[in-house]
Every structure is written in C-alpha cells, then in structure tokens.
C-alpha cells in the first residue's frame, strides 16, 4: 500500500508542476510580489478559518455516522481522519483514496469491515446531496457564462484523455497478478454483510443521516466561502456573492476530474473562472494560493499524519 501511495504522490507532483508552470508562464508579472504584499490579511485568515470549518463539518459528518453504528473514537481523532482523507483524495485518481483512507482510519478503532464500509458509503451518499441540490445553479451559470463553461469543459476533457492514457500506460507497466480465490470469497462475504447493515442504516438511522447530510452541505459551503474570502483579499471590490457563485461550476469540474485531487483542472480551470474578477497579474498568484489553501495544505498535513499512523501500526504489527 505504501508503494502505491508513493507512486500517487509522484504522479500528483508531476501534474501540479506542469499546471503551475502553465499558470506562471501565462500570468507571470513583475507586479506579482507587490500583489502578494498588498493582500488584506484579514480575508486570508478568514479563508483559512473557512477551511478549518470545512474539516470540522467533515469531522461532524463522520462522527455522527460512526455513532449511529456504535463506533466510538475521540472527536479530535476525527480531524486526523479528515486531513488523512484529503491526502488520500489528493494523490489518487478521481478522489477514490479518500474513501480508502476512511476505511483505514476507522478500522484502526476496532470496527468490523462491513460496518466501516456502511459508514463510508453513507458519507459518500450524504456528500452527493450538495451536488444534486446545486445543479440548478450550475445550469444558471452555464446560461450566464456559456463561453467560460465551454472552456472549462475543454480543459476537463483534455486532461481526462491525458490521464486515461497515462494510467493505461502505468497499468501495463505495473500490472499485478490476480488475487487468490480465497480473497475473492472473503470480499463477497464482507460485501453481503455490508448490504445488510446499509439497509438497516437507511431504515433505522434517518435522523443521523439528516444531520450528516446537513454537515455535508455546510462542508462544501465552507469550501466555497474560503475561495470567496481569498478573492476579497486580492480585490475587495469583488462581490462576495459573485465570488461564491462562480466557484460552484469549478467545484463540479474538480470533483468530476479523474486526476488526483482534481489537479490540473483546478489550476487551469481556476484561471478561466477567476480571470473575470482579477487582473492578469493577480489571477495566477490567486489560483496557486487558492489551491494550496483549499487542497494542498490539508493534503500535506494529512500525508504526515498518515505516514505517522502507518509506521506506528506497522511497528505494532511486527511486535505481535
């Protein structure tokens, strides 16, 4: 597993490097340093605080779902889970590593695998509610800004095709042998238990699901507020509503992207979306800082926490 994550980190860094080179080359200006020095620090702090709220609501969502399944852990450990999930989502295609990290971090607390799978599935379902609720806003944004949306779709398509070819090559080069039949049988058994528990969850834990859904919506709202506050740090004359509204289409594109953590799409798409608010000399610096605040700082913290837990668990396993 560790080798897979190291490979994912390597791929993510390559994509980020290419994306940042493009952003810097397209928007680099001698005024960039002056732009950063003139930032309103209050709004930068509010942007960071919004991301703290993001992780708090993520923590609350998983916390209440875990309590519904009688899985108990300290509330502060939930922040560890949230940061590690961000790390996993950032270094794996289509954010799938976030779910894998949830399985790992929750399983460490002694829960059976099928129960953990149910918790993680409910987390995914409640998270999808936000994207369903905001579809009308996406349609409205497309109506108001068709050229921006079309350019964003082109970026998403090109990066998706590039990613597909890249991962196909990687699969050929690093293809592994098929799993044993005993393992397949174990997976089937676990999956059958998972279906039973999930059915019971939907039947008897509706209040828990309602709160988890509310926390999921607030989670993504906090994400949008972080970007809006950061735009205000660069240009206070920008409408806070418009700054929040414009990010929604970009949030969809990032989560639809097959690249690790939406890398590439977030950076290049950010140039297209935010150039309507900021000057060319500021938009590149904004996009890089925005991606670091909303994604990569959390991923770095989560990566450190993950490797700490991984080493700790490995030592404990060897001592048995």
């Amino acid at each position: 597993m560790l080798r897979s994550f190291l490979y994912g980190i390597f791929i993510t860094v390559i994509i980020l490097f290419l994306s940042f080179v493009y952003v810097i080359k397209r928007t680099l200006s001698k005024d960039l340093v002056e732009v950063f020095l003139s930032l309103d620090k209050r709004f930068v702090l509010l942007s960071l605080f919004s991301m703290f709220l993001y992780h708090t609501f993520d923590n609350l969502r998983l916390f209440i779902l875990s309590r519904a399944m009688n899985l108990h852990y300290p509330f502060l450990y939930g922040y560890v889970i949230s940061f590690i999930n961000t790390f996993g989502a950032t270094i794996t295609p289509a954010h799938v590593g976030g779910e894998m990290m949830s399985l790992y971090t929750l399983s460490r607390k002694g829960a059976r695998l099928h129960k953990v799978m149910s918790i993680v599935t409910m987390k995914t379902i409640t998270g999808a509610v936000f994207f369903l609720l905001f579809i009308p806003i996406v349609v409205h944004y497309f109506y108001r800004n068709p050229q921006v949306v079309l350019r964003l779709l082109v970026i998403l398509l090109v990066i998706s095709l590039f990613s597909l070819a890249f991962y196909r090559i990687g699969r050929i080069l690093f293809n592994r042998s098929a799993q044993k039949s005993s393992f397949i049988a174990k997976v089937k058994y676990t999956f059958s238990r998972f279906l039973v528990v999930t059915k019971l969850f939907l039947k008897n834990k509706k209040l828990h699901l309602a709160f988890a859904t509310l926390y999921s919506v607030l989670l993504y709202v906090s994400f949008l507020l972080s970007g809006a506050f950061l735009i205000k740090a660069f240009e206070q004359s920008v409408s806070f509503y418009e700054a929040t509204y414009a990010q929604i289409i970009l949030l969809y594109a990032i989560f639809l992207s097959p690249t690790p953590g939406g890398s590439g799409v977030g950076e290049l798409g950010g140039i297209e979306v935010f150039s309507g608010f900021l000057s060319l000399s500021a938009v590149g610096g904004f996009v890089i800082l925005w991606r670091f605040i909303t994604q990569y700082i959390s991923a770095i913290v989560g990566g450190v926490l993950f490797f700490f837990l991984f080493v700790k668990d490995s030592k404990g396993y060897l001592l048995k």
Side-chain angles (χ1 to χ4, degrees):
M1 181 174 70
L2 185 59
R3 190 173 74 172
S4 298
F5 282 122
L6 290 174
Y7 177 72
I9 293 173
F10 175 72
I11 298 302
T12 304
V13 169
I14 290 177
I15 297 175
L16 285 182
F17 175 77
L18 294 175
S19 300
F20 286 161
V21 166
Y22 172 82
V23 170
I24 292 172
K25 184 176 180 180
R26 179 175 173 181
T27 64
L28 182 62
S29 169
K30 60 182 181 180
D31 299 326
L32 184 60
V33 175
E34 183 179 344
V35 168
F36 275 107
L37 291 176
S38 63
L39 291 180
D40 190 322
K41 307 301 187 298
R42 297 171 302 171
F43 287 112
V44 174
L45 290 175
L46 285 171
S47 178
L48 291 168
F49 179 70
S50 295
M51 285 310 299
F52 170 74
L53 291 179
Y54 171 93
H55 288 291
T56 298
F57 289 125
D58 190 27
N59 183 2
L60 286 168
R61 172 178 61 173
L62 199 61
F63 191 80
I64 195 170
L65 291 175
S66 298
R67 287 301 185 275
M69 300 300 294
N70 294 317
L71 173 59
H72 298 274
Y73 55 81
F75 184 74
L76 290 179
Y77 182 71
Y79 284 105
V80 175
I81 296 175
S82 182
F83 280 109
I84 291 179
N85 288 351
T86 303
F87 165 69
T90 302
I91 65 168
T92 53
H95 312 273
V96 295
E99 311 305 326
M100 293 166 55
M101 288 301 187
S102 294
L103 292 173
Y104 166 65
T105 50
L106 290 175
S107 296
R108 294 182 72 253
K109 294 303 177 179
R112 299 289 295 273
L113 181 58
H114 62 275
K115 285 191 175 183
V116 175
M117 290 174 65
S118 297
I119 294 170
V120 174
T121 299
M122 293 304 106
K123 170 190 167 184
T124 303
I125 291 174
T126 57
V129 171
F130 170 87
F131 293 95
L132 293 175
L133 289 175
F134 279 74
I135 286 177
I137 297 180
V138 173
V139 174
H140 184 258
Y141 185 89
F142 188 98
Y143 175 77
R144 284 185 54 186
N145 306 276
Q147 293 183 343
V148 174
V149 175
L150 289 175
R151 288 197 295 268
L152 194 58
L153 289 175
V154 170
I155 291 172
L156 182 60
L157 178 61
V158 171
I159 292 180
S160 297
L161 292 175
F162 172 79
S163 302
L164 178 61
F166 192 84
Y167 290 123
R168 287 289 295 177
I169 294 172
R171 186 175 180 181
I172 294 173
L173 294 176
F174 300 99
N175 188 30
R176 298 178 179 177
S177 58
Q179 302 294 324
K180 296 181 180 180
S181 58
S182 59
F183 175 77
I184 296 176
K186 185 177 181 179
V187 169
K188 290 181 178 179
Y189 169 77
T190 301
F191 186 69
S192 64
R193 293 290 302 274
F194 152 72
L195 290 177
V196 173
V197 175
T198 300
K199 184 178 180 180
L200 294 173
F201 203 118
L202 292 171
K203 182 179 180 180
N204 302 318
K205 306 294 182 179
K206 293 184 177 63
L207 185 61
H208 293 81
L209 286 177
F211 275 105
T213 301
L214 173 62
Y215 294 142
S216 293
V217 173
L218 293 175
L219 175 156
Y220 289 114
V221 170
S222 298
F223 180 93
L224 297 174
L225 292 179
S226 179
F229 280 126
L230 193 60
I231 290 178
K232 296 288 284 185
F234 277 78
E235 180 55 65
Q236 293 189 24
S237 63
V238 175
S239 165
F240 193 83
Y241 166 77
E242 289 294 334
T244 305
Y245 169 77
Q247 292 176 78
I248 296 175
I249 185 67
L250 189 54
L251 181 60
Y252 274 75
I254 289 172
F255 277 85
L256 287 173
S257 171
T259 58
S263 53
V265 172
E267 289 74 27
L268 276 61
I271 294 293
E272 299 297 334
V273 171
F274 297 120
S275 59
F277 299 104
L278 302 171
S279 65
L280 186 63
S281 61
V283 69
F286 166 82
V287 167
I288 292 175
L289 184 58
W290 170 69
R291 287 292 279 163
F292 266 98
I293 289 178
T294 59
Q295 184 84 33
Y296 302 128
I297 292 177
S298 297
I300 291 170
V301 173
V304 172
L305 292 172
F306 166 72
F307 284 106
F308 173 79
L309 293 183
F310 186 83
V311 171
K312 180 181 178 180
D313 293 343
S314 299
K315 288 182 177 178
Y317 177 80
L318 293 174
L319 290 175
K320 290 182 179 180

